[in-house]
Every structure is written in C-alpha cells, then in structure tokens.
Amino acid sequence: MRVSFFTLLALVFTTLFVATGCTEKNGSSSSDTLSTDTLPTDTVDSISRMVAETAMPRTADELFDDFFFNFAASKKVQLSRTLFPLKMEKFGKASVIEKNKWKTEHFFMKQGYYTLIFNNKRSLSIMKDTAVNEVTVEHIAMTRGTVKQWHFIRNNGLWNLSDIRMITLKQHGDSEFLSFYQKFVSDTKFQQESLSETVTFTGPDPEDDFSTMTGEILPEQWPMFAPWLPSETIYNIVYSSPTHKSSKKETNVRFFLIRGIANGLQTDLTFVKNGGRWKLKKITT
C-alpha cells in the first residue's frame, strides 16, 4: 500500500513532536489548528537525516508528492535528481547553477503548510493522477511581490528538477487573483467588502467532536468564523496533466486550499468572480 508524501511527512512530524514534546506557542496542540509557527531547524535536520538513511523506493516516482518528500528532505536526492548545470532565469537574466554551488532547499518543510490553487473542480484530484508529468513548486513572497518557481519534469519515469525561474508577482499567470488575495488577507475592510452576501461555512460542530456543521454566515458574523490565512508567504504547487486541463469557462472560480503538514488539517476557500470582483463564497475547515 502506497503512503503518500504528506501522510508520511505527517507521521514523521508526529514522531518527532512526541519525542521532543513540541507544542505551539499559544499552548494548543498542533492537531487543533493550522499553525503560523515555523519548525525548528533541528527538527527539519532530524527529518532530513531520517530520510537520508532510507533509500527512496522505486514507486516514489509514480506520484510527484511521493518523490517530492524525498527531494525536499534530502540533499543527496537533490544532487542526484537535479539536471546540472541547472538553468536559472532571474527576472529575465539567464544563468546556470553548477552542482558544486547547489544549496539544499527544504521548501515549505520549515513553515509546515502549503497551498493549492485550482480554477475548476476536476483538478482537485490531480495530485493522485499518475499521468502528471510536469509540476511547478512556487514560493510566492507577497510582501516583496516576487515569485520563485522550481520546475520539475518526469522523463523515462523519473522526476528531476529541470530549471528555476524568478519573476515578479505581476508576471505570474494568475497575478490578478494573487493580488486580490494579498489585499484580502492584509486589509480587514477590504476583506469584509469581499464577502458574498452569505458565505457557506462548513466546520467542526462545537457540540460534537465527531460531527461537522454547515450553515450560512453573514458578513457581520465573519470575525467570529474567519480562519487563519497566510499573509506574507505562500508555497504553492501547480500540477500539469493531460487528463486535467483547465477550462477557460471556469476561470471565474478559484479553489484555494491550505494544508497543514504536521497536523493534516485543511482549510478550503472558494472564491467567485462576479461583476469584475472576486468574493469569498464558501469556506470549509
């Protein structure tokens, strides 16, 4: 039975947290909420050592998630699965990175969460599609207005890092929505104005730990239900697959998913563009 990248990573995090007694700064358990805290360097180093001591299984290349767990955690894997000299384009200026100049990149392992942004429902299952042969991992620094993209390709059944590109946020293919999101999470007045007349909310039932509740909340009730949302840095994963093509007719919708690694929690937000304005329509926690 295959254990996915994020399931395995969550198990590793849990093992380390139990062993070290690590808890969140606000005193709540890491299983209770998506955390804004970063992981200690020694924790990431411990994960890297555990991965380095275990050979990457052959089946890891079937799904990008399985491969990426090993790639993000292991310097050895990064050196063997990067196409050196690596092509690098920084704001239009081309260069290369030689193998002896490579610096290990742990991506979102330190921050403990990542995001997924889709513009149609069919793409929500793309992570489990073995036909995926191109993936871009993005570091979106919203406050600086820059995006760093690591482009991975699969040739002859093996995933490799193909090239790196740095662009401005305005050059991003989804810059309009990302600019909206940046203002949505940083401006409380704008956030309030960017809610639909009613927002469908699905979340834990406060009276039953094993049940969820669904209802509609009004804009004036938003402060009581508003979840934590990343406001400065986003690590996003973009999957490309011949069986999951984006539909131009559905570009007025964005499914914005925030996934916690250590606790396995997820927050899903659905934004709809109507009359030229993006508005939050639905949230699931």
Side-chain angles (χ1 to χ4, degrees):
M1 180 179 67
R2 176 189 289 117
V3 179
S4 71
F5 154 56
F6 298 107
T7 301
L8 182 57
L9 189 55
L11 290 173
V12 174
F13 274 122
T14 301
T15 300
L16 290 172
F17 285 168
V18 170
T20 60
C22 181
T23 58
E24 302 200 24
K25 291 181 180 178
N26 62 8
S28 63
S29 167
S30 63
S31 62
D32 294 333
T33 180
L34 280 169
S35 174
T36 59
D37 295 343
T38 57
L39 294 174
T41 301
D42 57 349
T43 299
V44 176
D45 290 342
S46 297
I47 295 171
S48 298
R49 286 194 297 272
M50 292 174 67
V51 173
E53 293 170 359
T54 305
M56 184 168 66
R58 294 180 180 180
T59 56
D61 281 293
E62 293 182 18
L63 293 177
F64 177 78
D65 289 0
D66 297 337
F67 157 77
F68 191 68
F69 166 71
N70 291 272
F71 188 89
S74 172
K75 177 181 180 179
K76 181 179 179 181
V77 174
Q78 291 186 22
L79 291 175
S80 65
R81 291 299 191 91
T82 298
L83 301 180
F84 292 109
L86 183 66
K87 296 178 182 178
M88 171 82 173
E89 182 181 320
K90 189 174 183 179
F91 306 116
K93 185 178 180 180
S95 62
V96 295
I97 301 175
E98 300 293 345
K99 190 172 185 177
N100 61 353
K101 298 294 184 180
W102 177 255
K103 295 182 180 179
T104 305
E105 173 63 62
H106 289 300
F107 300 91
F108 48 77
M109 286 179 64
K110 290 185 178 181
Q111 71 175 26
Y113 67 88
Y114 68 102
T115 69
L116 297 164
I117 305 173
F118 301 111
N119 66 356
N120 63 75
K121 288 185 177 180
R122 294 191 303 276
S123 293
L124 293 176
S125 61
I126 195 171
M127 296 86 73
K128 302 301 181 182
D129 186 355
T130 56
V132 170
N133 49 32
E134 285 189 58
V135 174
T136 300
V137 177
E138 300 180 321
H139 175 271
I140 304 172
M142 291 183 289
T143 52
R144 295 200 302 268
T146 61
V147 181
K148 187 173 183 178
Q149 301 173 319
W150 293 266
H151 182 216
F152 293 85
I153 59 174
R154 182 166 59 174
N155 282 328
N156 298 319
L158 300 178
W159 283 103
N160 287 280
L161 174 61
S162 172
D163 56 89
I164 298 176
R165 187 183 183 208
M166 290 191 69
I167 59 175
T168 64
L169 185 60
K170 292 181 180 180
Q171 293 175 304
H172 192 280
D174 204 16
S175 60
E176 182 191 18
F177 174 75
L178 290 173
S179 296
F180 157 78
Y181 175 79
Q182 179 185 15
K183 190 172 183 180
F184 182 83
V185 296
S186 60
D187 185 329
T188 53
K189 182 180 179 181
F190 179 77
Q191 186 176 109
Q192 196 82 12
E193 295 171 348
S194 300
L195 303 175
S196 296
E197 290 186 6
T198 57
V199 177
T200 302
F201 175 85
T202 300
D205 187 338
E207 298 182 358
D208 186 347
D209 294 338
F210 301 98
S211 300
T212 59
M213 57 180 293
T214 298
E216 293 185 338
I217 58 176
L218 302 174
E220 56 267 28
Q221 298 173 309
W222 176 249
M224 295 184 293
F225 293 88
W228 171 83
L229 299 173
S231 60
E232 297 182 359
T233 300
I234 291 178
Y235 271 96
N236 188 47
I237 303 179
V238 182
Y239 300 83
S240 299
S241 168
T243 59
H244 287 79
K245 293 295 185 181
S246 296
S247 171
K248 292 182 179 180
K249 294 181 180 180
E250 296 178 289
T251 54
N252 64 329
V253 177
R254 291 294 183 276
F255 299 97
F256 188 90
L257 284 61
I258 308 168
R259 288 187 169 182
I261 298 175
N263 51 29
L265 296 182
Q266 177 171 309
T267 298
D268 298 356
L269 300 98
T270 302
F271 294 92
V272 178
K273 188 177 182 181
N274 191 6
R277 290 197 59 183
W278 288 101
K279 295 210 171 184
L280 178 63
K281 183 70 175 177
K282 181 180 179 180
I283 180 170
T284 302
T285 60

